Amino acid sequence: MSKEVCPELTRLLRVQRHDFINHAQVIHAFLQLGKTDRAMRYIEELCKDPELLCSSLSQHKSIPECVRKVGQ
């Protein structure tokens, strides 16, 4: 039985993926430029960011209700 995921959950996952890729690119750039100390500070700042720790997915209260059988 196949399942379909609600559009809002898909949107939130795309936002989260986009943000993650942006952070990875910033860290990569610092490392390419030899700024390892700046890369470390950036990572430390990310770890302290409450928005990063509280995923945007937590805003979506009805995740169990989101997954539904196709055709129903």
Side-chain angles (χ1 to χ4, degrees):
M1 200 177 288
S2 64
K3 293 184 179 180
E4 185 178 310
V5 179
C6 81
E8 179 63 9
L9 183 56
T10 302
R11 186 189 72 75
L12 290 171
L13 287 169
R14 284 186 180 140
V15 167
Q16 189 176 48
R17 180 181 182 274
H18 175 81
D19 290 347
F20 175 79
I21 289 171
N22 283 346
H23 291 305
Q25 288 174 333
V26 170
I27 294 165
H28 183 257
F30 282 138
L31 294 175
Q32 275 190 320
L33 295 171
K35 298 183 177 186
T36 54
D37 57 329
R38 186 60 186 107
M40 290 297 294
R41 282 199 318 271
Y42 187 84
I43 293 168
E44 289 168 0
E45 290 168 14
L46 283 177
C47 292
K48 294 176 186 175
D49 184 359
E51 290 294 317
L52 186 67
L53 297 175
C54 294
S55 167
S56 60
L57 291 176
S58 65
Q59 297 172 14
H60 192 58
K61 304 296 183 200
S62 61
I63 289 175
E65 297 165 18
C66 251
V67 181
R68 62 187 184 279
K69 294 178 187 172
V70 174
Q72 285 189 339

Short mmCIF file of all heavy atoms in Angstrom, two decimals:
data_model
loop_
_atom_site.label_atom_id
_atom_site.label_comp_id
_atom_site.label_asym_id
_atom_site.label_seq_id
_atom_site.Cartn_x
_atom_site.Cartn_y
_atom_site.Cartn_z
N MET A 1 0.85 -1.17 0.00
CA MET A 1 0.00 0.00 0.00
C MET A 1 0.90 1.24 0.00
O MET A 1 1.73 1.42 0.87
CB MET A 1 -0.86 -0.04 1.26
CG MET A 1 -2.08 0.82 1.18
SD MET A 1 -3.12 0.67 2.65
CE MET A 1 -3.79 -0.97 2.43
N SER A 2 0.77 2.09 -1.00
CA SER A 2 1.60 3.29 -1.06
C SER A 2 1.00 4.39 -0.19
O SER A 2 -0.19 4.42 0.07
CB SER A 2 1.74 3.76 -2.51
OG SER A 2 0.49 4.14 -3.01
N LYS A 3 1.85 5.31 0.24
CA LYS A 3 1.41 6.42 1.08
C LYS A 3 1.85 7.73 0.45
O LYS A 3 2.84 7.80 -0.26
CB LYS A 3 2.00 6.29 2.48
CG LYS A 3 1.46 5.09 3.23
CD LYS A 3 1.99 5.05 4.63
CE LYS A 3 1.41 3.85 5.35
NZ LYS A 3 1.88 3.74 6.70
N GLU A 4 1.10 8.76 0.73
CA GLU A 4 1.38 10.10 0.23
C GLU A 4 1.61 11.00 1.45
O GLU A 4 0.93 10.87 2.45
CB GLU A 4 0.17 10.57 -0.56
CG GLU A 4 0.36 11.89 -1.24
CD GLU A 4 -0.88 12.24 -2.05
OE1 GLU A 4 -1.35 11.39 -2.83
OE2 GLU A 4 -1.38 13.36 -1.85
N VAL A 5 2.57 11.90 1.36
CA VAL A 5 2.88 12.79 2.47
C VAL A 5 2.27 14.16 2.17
O VAL A 5 2.29 14.63 1.04
CB VAL A 5 4.41 12.92 2.65
CG1 VAL A 5 4.73 13.86 3.79
CG2 VAL A 5 5.03 11.56 2.90
N CYS A 6 1.76 14.80 3.19
CA CYS A 6 1.08 16.08 2.98
C CYS A 6 2.05 17.15 2.47
O CYS A 6 3.24 17.11 2.77
CB CYS A 6 0.38 16.53 4.25
SG CYS A 6 1.44 17.30 5.46
N PRO A 7 1.56 18.09 1.71
CA PRO A 7 2.41 19.14 1.12
C PRO A 7 3.12 20.00 2.17
O PRO A 7 4.25 20.42 1.94
CB PRO A 7 1.42 19.99 0.32
CG PRO A 7 0.25 19.11 0.07
CD PRO A 7 0.18 18.17 1.23
N GLU A 8 2.49 20.25 3.30
CA GLU A 8 3.11 21.09 4.34
C GLU A 8 4.34 20.40 4.91
O GLU A 8 5.38 21.04 5.14
CB GLU A 8 2.11 21.41 5.44
CG GLU A 8 2.67 22.26 6.56
CD GLU A 8 3.12 23.65 6.14
OE1 GLU A 8 2.86 24.07 5.00
OE2 GLU A 8 3.76 24.32 6.96
N LEU A 9 4.26 19.11 5.16
CA LEU A 9 5.41 18.37 5.68
C LEU A 9 6.54 18.37 4.66
O LEU A 9 7.70 18.58 5.00
CB LEU A 9 5.00 16.94 6.04
CG LEU A 9 6.08 16.06 6.65
CD1 LEU A 9 6.67 16.70 7.89
CD2 LEU A 9 5.52 14.69 6.96
N THR A 10 6.20 18.19 3.40
CA THR A 10 7.20 18.23 2.33
C THR A 10 7.87 19.60 2.27
O THR A 10 9.09 19.71 2.14
CB THR A 10 6.54 17.90 0.97
OG1 THR A 10 5.93 16.62 1.06
CG2 THR A 10 7.56 17.91 -0.15
N ARG A 11 7.07 20.65 2.40
CA ARG A 11 7.63 22.01 2.38
C ARG A 11 8.59 22.24 3.53
O ARG A 11 9.69 22.78 3.36
CB ARG A 11 6.50 23.05 2.43
CG ARG A 11 6.97 24.49 2.26
CD ARG A 11 5.86 25.48 2.54
NE ARG A 11 5.53 25.55 3.95
CZ ARG A 11 6.28 26.16 4.88
NH1 ARG A 11 7.42 26.74 4.55
NH2 ARG A 11 5.90 26.19 6.15
N LEU A 12 8.21 21.79 4.72
CA LEU A 12 9.06 21.96 5.90
C LEU A 12 10.38 21.19 5.75
O LEU A 12 11.44 21.68 6.15
CB LEU A 12 8.32 21.53 7.16
CG LEU A 12 7.18 22.44 7.59
CD1 LEU A 12 6.37 21.80 8.71
CD2 LEU A 12 7.69 23.80 8.01
N LEU A 13 10.32 20.01 5.18
CA LEU A 13 11.54 19.24 4.96
C LEU A 13 12.45 19.93 3.94
O LEU A 13 13.67 19.93 4.10
CB LEU A 13 11.20 17.82 4.48
CG LEU A 13 10.64 16.91 5.56
CD1 LEU A 13 10.09 15.63 4.93
CD2 LEU A 13 11.70 16.59 6.60
N ARG A 14 11.86 20.53 2.92
CA ARG A 14 12.66 21.27 1.93
C ARG A 14 13.34 22.48 2.56
O ARG A 14 14.50 22.78 2.27
CB ARG A 14 11.79 21.71 0.76
CG ARG A 14 11.47 20.58 -0.17
CD ARG A 14 10.74 21.07 -1.40
NE ARG A 14 10.46 19.94 -2.27
CZ ARG A 14 9.33 19.76 -2.92
NH1 ARG A 14 8.37 20.67 -2.85
NH2 ARG A 14 9.16 18.71 -3.68
N VAL A 15 12.63 23.19 3.43
CA VAL A 15 13.20 24.34 4.12
C VAL A 15 14.37 23.90 4.99
O VAL A 15 15.44 24.51 4.98
CB VAL A 15 12.13 25.05 4.98
CG1 VAL A 15 12.76 26.05 5.94
CG2 VAL A 15 11.10 25.73 4.09
N GLN A 16 14.18 22.82 5.72
CA GLN A 16 15.23 22.31 6.59
C GLN A 16 16.46 21.88 5.78
O GLN A 16 17.60 22.19 6.15
CB GLN A 16 14.71 21.13 7.41
CG GLN A 16 15.65 20.68 8.49
CD GLN A 16 15.04 19.57 9.32
OE1 GLN A 16 14.52 18.61 8.77
NE2 GLN A 16 15.11 19.71 10.62
N ARG A 17 16.24 21.21 4.66
CA ARG A 17 17.34 20.78 3.80
C ARG A 17 18.07 21.99 3.23
O ARG A 17 19.31 22.02 3.20
CB ARG A 17 16.80 19.90 2.66
CG ARG A 17 17.87 19.41 1.71
CD ARG A 17 17.24 18.56 0.59
NE ARG A 17 18.25 18.04 -0.29
CZ ARG A 17 18.73 18.69 -1.34
NH1 ARG A 17 18.27 19.89 -1.64
NH2 ARG A 17 19.65 18.14 -2.11
N HIS A 18 17.34 22.99 2.79
CA HIS A 18 17.92 24.21 2.23
C HIS A 18 18.83 24.88 3.27
O HIS A 18 19.97 25.27 2.96
CB HIS A 18 16.81 25.16 1.79
CG HIS A 18 17.28 26.48 1.33
ND1 HIS A 18 17.78 26.70 0.07
CD2 HIS A 18 17.35 27.68 1.98
CE1 HIS A 18 18.14 27.98 -0.04
NE2 HIS A 18 17.88 28.59 1.09
N ASP A 19 18.34 25.03 4.48
CA ASP A 19 19.12 25.66 5.55
C ASP A 19 20.38 24.86 5.86
O ASP A 19 21.46 25.43 6.04
CB ASP A 19 18.28 25.82 6.81
CG ASP A 19 17.18 26.86 6.67
OD1 ASP A 19 17.22 27.64 5.68
OD2 ASP A 19 16.28 26.89 7.52
N PHE A 20 20.25 23.54 5.92
CA PHE A 20 21.41 22.68 6.21
C PHE A 20 22.48 22.85 5.14
O PHE A 20 23.67 23.01 5.45
CB PHE A 20 20.98 21.22 6.31
CG PHE A 20 22.15 20.29 6.49
CD1 PHE A 20 22.73 20.12 7.73
CD2 PHE A 20 22.67 19.60 5.41
CE1 PHE A 20 23.82 19.28 7.89
CE2 PHE A 20 23.76 18.75 5.56
CZ PHE A 20 24.34 18.60 6.80
N ILE A 21 22.07 22.83 3.87
CA ILE A 21 23.03 22.98 2.77
C ILE A 21 23.71 24.34 2.83
O ILE A 21 24.93 24.45 2.62
CB ILE A 21 22.34 22.75 1.41
CG1 ILE A 21 21.99 21.26 1.26
CG2 ILE A 21 23.22 23.21 0.25
CD1 ILE A 21 21.11 20.95 0.07
N ASN A 22 22.97 25.39 3.16
CA ASN A 22 23.58 26.72 3.28
C ASN A 22 24.65 26.75 4.36
O ASN A 22 25.74 27.29 4.16
CB ASN A 22 22.51 27.78 3.58
CG ASN A 22 21.71 28.16 2.36
OD1 ASN A 22 22.08 27.86 1.24
ND2 ASN A 22 20.60 28.82 2.60
N HIS A 23 24.35 26.15 5.51
CA HIS A 23 25.34 26.12 6.61
C HIS A 23 26.57 25.31 6.19
O HIS A 23 27.71 25.71 6.48
CB HIS A 23 24.72 25.52 7.87
CG HIS A 23 23.69 26.40 8.50
ND1 HIS A 23 23.93 27.71 8.85
CD2 HIS A 23 22.41 26.15 8.84
CE1 HIS A 23 22.83 28.24 9.38
NE2 HIS A 23 21.90 27.31 9.38
N ALA A 24 26.37 24.19 5.52
CA ALA A 24 27.49 23.37 5.07
C ALA A 24 28.36 24.14 4.07
O ALA A 24 29.60 24.04 4.12
CB ALA A 24 26.98 22.07 4.44
N GLN A 25 27.74 24.93 3.20
CA GLN A 25 28.50 25.72 2.23
C GLN A 25 29.34 26.80 2.90
O GLN A 25 30.47 27.06 2.50
CB GLN A 25 27.57 26.34 1.19
CG GLN A 25 27.01 25.33 0.23
CD GLN A 25 25.97 25.93 -0.71
OE1 GLN A 25 25.30 26.90 -0.38
NE2 GLN A 25 25.82 25.32 -1.88
N VAL A 26 28.78 27.42 3.93
CA VAL A 26 29.53 28.45 4.67
C VAL A 26 30.75 27.81 5.33
O VAL A 26 31.88 28.34 5.23
CB VAL A 26 28.63 29.15 5.71
CG1 VAL A 26 29.46 30.02 6.65
CG2 VAL A 26 27.55 29.97 5.03
N ILE A 27 30.55 26.69 5.99
CA ILE A 27 31.66 25.99 6.65
C ILE A 27 32.71 25.58 5.63
O ILE A 27 33.92 25.75 5.84
CB ILE A 27 31.14 24.79 7.45
CG1 ILE A 27 30.26 25.28 8.61
CG2 ILE A 27 32.29 23.92 7.96
CD1 ILE A 27 29.41 24.21 9.24
N HIS A 28 32.27 25.04 4.51
CA HIS A 28 33.18 24.62 3.44
C HIS A 28 34.01 25.80 2.94
O HIS A 28 35.23 25.68 2.73
CB HIS A 28 32.37 24.00 2.30
CG HIS A 28 33.22 23.47 1.20
ND1 HIS A 28 33.37 24.13 0.00
CD2 HIS A 28 33.96 22.33 1.11
CE1 HIS A 28 34.17 23.42 -0.78
NE2 HIS A 28 34.54 22.34 -0.14
N ALA A 29 33.38 26.95 2.75
CA ALA A 29 34.10 28.14 2.27
C ALA A 29 35.16 28.58 3.28
O ALA A 29 36.30 28.88 2.88
CB ALA A 29 33.12 29.27 2.01
N PHE A 30 34.81 28.61 4.54
CA PHE A 30 35.80 28.98 5.56
C PHE A 30 36.99 28.03 5.53
O PHE A 30 38.14 28.46 5.60
CB PHE A 30 35.17 28.97 6.96
CG PHE A 30 34.34 30.18 7.28
CD1 PHE A 30 33.13 30.03 7.94
CD2 PHE A 30 34.76 31.45 6.96
CE1 PHE A 30 32.35 31.14 8.25
CE2 PHE A 30 33.99 32.57 7.27
CZ PHE A 30 32.78 32.41 7.91
N LEU A 31 36.72 26.74 5.40
CA LEU A 31 37.81 25.76 5.38
C LEU A 31 38.66 25.91 4.12
O LEU A 31 39.89 25.80 4.19
CB LEU A 31 37.25 24.34 5.50
CG LEU A 31 36.58 24.02 6.84
CD1 LEU A 31 35.94 22.64 6.80
CD2 LEU A 31 37.58 24.14 7.99
N GLN A 32 38.04 26.16 2.98
CA GLN A 32 38.80 26.36 1.74
C GLN A 32 39.71 27.58 1.83
O GLN A 32 40.80 27.58 1.26
CB GLN A 32 37.85 26.55 0.55
CG GLN A 32 37.39 25.25 -0.07
CD GLN A 32 36.68 25.50 -1.38
OE1 GLN A 32 35.90 26.44 -1.51
NE2 GLN A 32 36.93 24.64 -2.34
N LEU A 33 39.26 28.59 2.54
CA LEU A 33 40.06 29.81 2.70
C LEU A 33 41.09 29.68 3.82
O LEU A 33 41.81 30.64 4.11
CB LEU A 33 39.14 31.00 2.98
CG LEU A 33 38.20 31.39 1.83
CD1 LEU A 33 37.18 32.43 2.30
CD2 LEU A 33 39.01 31.90 0.64
N GLY A 34 41.13 28.52 4.45
CA GLY A 34 42.09 28.30 5.53
C GLY A 34 41.69 28.95 6.84
O GLY A 34 42.51 29.09 7.74
N LYS A 35 40.43 29.33 6.95
CA LYS A 35 39.95 29.99 8.16
C LYS A 35 39.29 28.96 9.08
O LYS A 35 38.09 29.02 9.36
CB LYS A 35 38.97 31.10 7.80
CG LYS A 35 39.60 32.20 6.96
CD LYS A 35 38.64 33.31 6.67
CE LYS A 35 39.35 34.42 5.91
NZ LYS A 35 38.50 35.59 5.73
N THR A 36 40.10 28.04 9.56
CA THR A 36 39.55 26.97 10.39
C THR A 36 39.01 27.49 11.71
O THR A 36 38.00 26.98 12.21
CB THR A 36 40.61 25.88 10.67
OG1 THR A 36 41.78 26.50 11.22
CG2 THR A 36 40.99 25.14 9.41
N ASP A 37 39.65 28.53 12.26
CA ASP A 37 39.15 29.10 13.50
C ASP A 37 37.75 29.70 13.30
O ASP A 37 36.87 29.56 14.14
CB ASP A 37 40.11 30.15 14.07
CG ASP A 37 40.39 31.29 13.08
OD1 ASP A 37 40.37 31.05 11.85
OD2 ASP A 37 40.63 32.42 13.54
N ARG A 38 37.54 30.34 12.16
CA ARG A 38 36.22 30.93 11.86
C ARG A 38 35.19 29.83 11.62
O ARG A 38 34.04 29.96 12.03
CB ARG A 38 36.33 31.86 10.64
CG ARG A 38 35.06 32.61 10.35
CD ARG A 38 34.64 33.51 11.53
NE ARG A 38 33.35 34.10 11.27
CZ ARG A 38 32.21 33.73 11.87
NH1 ARG A 38 32.21 32.78 12.77
NH2 ARG A 38 31.07 34.32 11.57
N ALA A 39 35.59 28.76 10.96
CA ALA A 39 34.69 27.62 10.74
C ALA A 39 34.27 27.02 12.08
O ALA A 39 33.09 26.71 12.28
CB ALA A 39 35.36 26.56 9.87
N MET A 40 35.21 26.89 12.99
CA MET A 40 34.89 26.34 14.31
C MET A 40 33.92 27.26 15.06
O MET A 40 32.98 26.79 15.69
CB MET A 40 36.17 26.14 15.14
CG MET A 40 37.05 25.01 14.64
SD MET A 40 36.23 23.41 14.75
CE MET A 40 36.09 23.22 16.50
N ARG A 41 34.15 28.57 15.01
CA ARG A 41 33.24 29.51 15.68
C ARG A 41 31.85 29.45 15.07
O ARG A 41 30.84 29.50 15.78
CB ARG A 41 33.80 30.94 15.61
CG ARG A 41 34.89 31.21 16.61
CD ARG A 41 35.14 32.69 16.87
NE ARG A 41 35.13 33.54 15.69
CZ ARG A 41 36.20 33.82 14.93
NH1 ARG A 41 37.36 33.30 15.22
NH2 ARG A 41 36.10 34.63 13.90
N TYR A 42 31.79 29.32 13.75
CA TYR A 42 30.50 29.23 13.06
C TYR A 42 29.74 27.98 13.52
O TYR A 42 28.55 28.05 13.83
CB TYR A 42 30.72 29.19 11.55
CG TYR A 42 29.44 29.27 10.74
CD1 TYR A 42 28.86 30.50 10.45
CD2 TYR A 42 28.82 28.12 10.28
CE1 TYR A 42 27.70 30.59 9.72
CE2 TYR A 42 27.64 28.19 9.54
CZ TYR A 42 27.09 29.42 9.27
OH TYR A 42 25.92 29.51 8.55
N ILE A 43 30.45 26.86 13.60
CA ILE A 43 29.82 25.62 14.07
C ILE A 43 29.35 25.77 15.51
O ILE A 43 28.25 25.34 15.86
CB ILE A 43 30.79 24.43 13.92
CG1 ILE A 43 31.06 24.15 12.44
CG2 ILE A 43 30.24 23.19 14.62
CD1 ILE A 43 32.20 23.19 12.18
N GLU A 44 30.17 26.37 16.35
CA GLU A 44 29.80 26.60 17.75
C GLU A 44 28.56 27.49 17.85
O GLU A 44 27.67 27.24 18.67
CB GLU A 44 30.96 27.19 18.52
CG GLU A 44 32.09 26.20 18.74
CD GLU A 44 33.37 26.84 19.23
OE1 GLU A 44 33.42 28.08 19.42
OE2 GLU A 44 34.35 26.09 19.42
N GLU A 45 28.49 28.53 17.01
CA GLU A 45 27.32 29.40 17.00
C GLU A 45 26.07 28.64 16.56
O GLU A 45 24.99 28.83 17.13
CB GLU A 45 27.55 30.58 16.04
CG GLU A 45 28.58 31.57 16.53
CD GLU A 45 29.00 32.56 15.45
OE1 GLU A 45 28.31 32.66 14.41
OE2 GLU A 45 30.03 33.22 15.64
N LEU A 46 26.22 27.78 15.57
CA LEU A 46 25.09 26.96 15.12
C LEU A 46 24.56 26.07 16.23
O LEU A 46 23.35 25.91 16.41
CB LEU A 46 25.49 26.08 13.93
CG LEU A 46 25.60 26.75 12.57
CD1 LEU A 46 26.07 25.73 11.54
CD2 LEU A 46 24.28 27.35 12.14
N CYS A 47 25.48 25.49 16.98
CA CYS A 47 25.08 24.58 18.06
C CYS A 47 24.32 25.29 19.17
O CYS A 47 23.54 24.66 19.89
CB CYS A 47 26.30 23.87 18.63
SG CYS A 47 27.03 22.71 17.46
N LYS A 48 24.55 26.58 19.32
CA LYS A 48 23.87 27.37 20.35
C LYS A 48 22.55 27.96 19.88
O LYS A 48 21.78 28.48 20.68
CB LYS A 48 24.77 28.50 20.83
CG LYS A 48 26.02 28.03 21.54
CD LYS A 48 26.90 29.21 21.87
CE LYS A 48 28.22 28.75 22.45
NZ LYS A 48 29.14 29.87 22.67
N ASP A 49 22.29 27.89 18.58
CA ASP A 49 21.11 28.51 17.99
C ASP A 49 19.84 27.72 18.33
O ASP A 49 19.68 26.58 17.89
CB ASP A 49 21.28 28.59 16.48
CG ASP A 49 20.14 29.30 15.78
OD1 ASP A 49 19.18 29.73 16.46
OD2 ASP A 49 20.21 29.43 14.55
N PRO A 50 18.92 28.30 19.12
CA PRO A 50 17.71 27.57 19.50
C PRO A 50 16.81 27.26 18.29
O PRO A 50 16.11 26.27 18.29
CB PRO A 50 17.00 28.51 20.47
CG PRO A 50 17.61 29.85 20.27
CD PRO A 50 18.97 29.63 19.69
N GLU A 51 16.86 28.11 17.27
CA GLU A 51 16.06 27.85 16.07
C GLU A 51 16.53 26.59 15.35
O GLU A 51 15.74 25.87 14.77
CB GLU A 51 16.13 29.04 15.11
CG GLU A 51 15.41 30.26 15.61
CD GLU A 51 13.91 30.05 15.70
OE1 GLU A 51 13.33 29.47 14.78
OE2 GLU A 51 13.33 30.48 16.71
N LEU A 52 17.83 26.34 15.41
CA LEU A 52 18.38 25.16 14.76
C LEU A 52 18.02 23.91 15.55
O LEU A 52 17.71 22.87 14.99
CB LEU A 52 19.90 25.28 14.63
CG LEU A 52 20.60 24.18 13.85
CD1 LEU A 52 20.20 24.24 12.38
CD2 LEU A 52 22.10 24.33 13.98
N LEU A 53 18.05 24.04 16.87
CA LEU A 53 17.74 22.90 17.73
C LEU A 53 16.26 22.56 17.71
O LEU A 53 15.88 21.40 17.79
CB LEU A 53 18.20 23.17 19.16
CG LEU A 53 19.71 23.36 19.33
CD1 LEU A 53 20.03 23.74 20.77
CD2 LEU A 53 20.47 22.13 18.91
N CYS A 54 15.41 23.57 17.62
CA CYS A 54 13.97 23.35 17.51
C CYS A 54 13.63 23.34 16.04
O CYS A 54 13.38 24.38 15.44
CB CYS A 54 13.20 24.45 18.22
SG CYS A 54 13.45 24.45 19.98
N SER A 55 13.65 22.19 15.48
CA SER A 55 13.43 22.04 14.04
C SER A 55 12.11 22.64 13.61
O SER A 55 11.13 22.64 14.35
CB SER A 55 13.44 20.55 13.70
OG SER A 55 12.96 20.33 12.41
N SER A 56 12.09 23.13 12.39
CA SER A 56 10.84 23.67 11.83
C SER A 56 9.79 22.57 11.74
O SER A 56 8.60 22.85 11.69
CB SER A 56 11.09 24.28 10.45
OG SER A 56 11.60 23.31 9.56
N LEU A 57 10.22 21.33 11.76
CA LEU A 57 9.27 20.22 11.72
C LEU A 57 8.40 20.19 12.98
O LEU A 57 7.27 19.72 12.94
CB LEU A 57 9.99 18.89 11.56
CG LEU A 57 10.65 18.65 10.22
CD1 LEU A 57 11.40 17.34 10.23
CD2 LEU A 57 9.65 18.68 9.10
N SER A 58 8.93 20.68 14.09
CA SER A 58 8.16 20.67 15.33
C SER A 58 6.97 21.62 15.25
O SER A 58 6.04 21.52 16.04
CB SER A 58 9.04 21.03 16.52
OG SER A 58 9.50 22.35 16.41
N GLN A 59 6.99 22.54 14.28
CA GLN A 59 5.87 23.46 14.09
C GLN A 59 4.67 22.75 13.48
O GLN A 59 3.55 23.21 13.56
CB GLN A 59 6.27 24.61 13.18
CG GLN A 59 7.37 25.47 13.73
CD GLN A 59 7.85 26.47 12.68
OE1 GLN A 59 7.21 26.69 11.67
NE2 GLN A 59 9.01 27.06 12.95
N HIS A 60 4.94 21.63 12.86
CA HIS A 60 3.89 20.89 12.17
C HIS A 60 3.31 19.87 13.15
O HIS A 60 3.85 18.81 13.37
CB HIS A 60 4.46 20.21 10.93
CG HIS A 60 3.41 19.68 10.01
ND1 HIS A 60 2.45 20.48 9.46
CD2 HIS A 60 3.18 18.45 9.56
CE1 HIS A 60 1.67 19.75 8.69
NE2 HIS A 60 2.09 18.52 8.74
N LYS A 61 2.20 20.22 13.77
CA LYS A 61 1.64 19.43 14.87
C LYS A 61 0.98 18.13 14.43
O LYS A 61 0.85 17.22 15.22
CB LYS A 61 0.60 20.28 15.63
CG LYS A 61 1.15 21.58 16.14
CD LYS A 61 2.23 21.36 17.17
CE LYS A 61 2.70 22.71 17.70
NZ LYS A 61 3.97 22.69 18.32
N SER A 62 0.55 18.05 13.18
CA SER A 62 -0.24 16.89 12.79
C SER A 62 0.50 15.91 11.89
O SER A 62 -0.06 15.39 10.94
CB SER A 62 -1.52 17.36 12.09
OG SER A 62 -1.18 18.10 10.94
N ILE A 63 1.78 15.66 12.19
CA ILE A 63 2.55 14.74 11.36
C ILE A 63 1.88 13.37 11.25
O ILE A 63 1.76 12.85 10.15
CB ILE A 63 4.01 14.63 11.85
CG1 ILE A 63 4.75 15.93 11.55
CG2 ILE A 63 4.72 13.45 11.19
CD1 ILE A 63 6.15 16.01 12.06
N PRO A 64 1.39 12.76 12.34
CA PRO A 64 0.73 11.46 12.19
C PRO A 64 -0.48 11.52 11.27
O PRO A 64 -0.76 10.57 10.54
CB PRO A 64 0.32 11.08 13.60
CG PRO A 64 1.22 11.86 14.48
CD PRO A 64 1.51 13.14 13.73
N GLU A 65 -1.18 12.64 11.27
CA GLU A 65 -2.36 12.78 10.43
C GLU A 65 -1.98 13.09 8.99
O GLU A 65 -2.80 12.97 8.08
CB GLU A 65 -3.24 13.91 10.97
CG GLU A 65 -3.75 13.62 12.36
CD GLU A 65 -4.32 14.87 13.03
OE1 GLU A 65 -4.61 15.84 12.32
OE2 GLU A 65 -4.44 14.86 14.26
N CYS A 66 -0.75 13.51 8.77
CA CYS A 66 -0.30 13.91 7.44
C CYS A 66 -0.18 12.72 6.50
O CYS A 66 -0.41 12.85 5.32
CB CYS A 66 1.07 14.55 7.54
SG CYS A 66 1.03 16.28 7.25
N VAL A 67 0.26 11.62 7.04
CA VAL A 67 0.47 10.45 6.19
C VAL A 67 -0.89 9.78 6.01
O VAL A 67 -1.54 9.41 6.96
CB VAL A 67 1.50 9.48 6.80
CG1 VAL A 67 1.72 8.30 5.90
CG2 VAL A 67 2.80 10.21 7.06
N ARG A 68 -1.30 9.65 4.79
CA ARG A 68 -2.60 9.05 4.54
C ARG A 68 -2.50 8.07 3.38
O ARG A 68 -1.60 8.15 2.56
CB ARG A 68 -3.62 10.13 4.23
CG ARG A 68 -3.32 10.93 2.99
CD ARG A 68 -4.31 12.10 2.84
NE ARG A 68 -4.08 12.82 1.61
CZ ARG A 68 -3.16 13.74 1.42
NH1 ARG A 68 -2.34 14.06 2.40
NH2 ARG A 68 -3.04 14.34 0.26
N LYS A 69 -3.42 7.16 3.33
CA LYS A 69 -3.42 6.19 2.25
C LYS A 69 -3.88 6.88 0.97
O LYS A 69 -4.81 7.67 0.99
CB LYS A 69 -4.38 5.04 2.58
CG LYS A 69 -3.95 4.22 3.75
CD LYS A 69 -4.96 3.13 4.03
CE LYS A 69 -4.60 2.41 5.32
NZ LYS A 69 -5.64 1.48 5.74
N VAL A 70 -3.20 6.56 -0.10
CA VAL A 70 -3.60 7.13 -1.40
C VAL A 70 -4.94 6.53 -1.78
O VAL A 70 -5.20 5.36 -1.64
CB VAL A 70 -2.53 6.79 -2.47
CG1 VAL A 70 -2.99 7.24 -3.85
CG2 VAL A 70 -1.20 7.41 -2.12
N GLY A 71 -5.82 7.39 -2.26
CA GLY A 71 -7.13 6.93 -2.69
C GLY A 71 -8.20 7.08 -1.61
O GLY A 71 -9.35 6.76 -1.84
N GLN A 72 -7.83 7.56 -0.44
CA GLN A 72 -8.84 7.75 0.61
C GLN A 72 -9.09 9.21 0.81
O GLN A 72 -8.32 10.05 0.62
CB GLN A 72 -8.40 7.13 1.94
CG GLN A 72 -8.50 5.65 1.93
CD GLN A 72 -8.26 5.07 3.33
OE1 GLN A 72 -7.66 5.71 4.18
NE2 GLN A 72 -8.74 3.88 3.55
#
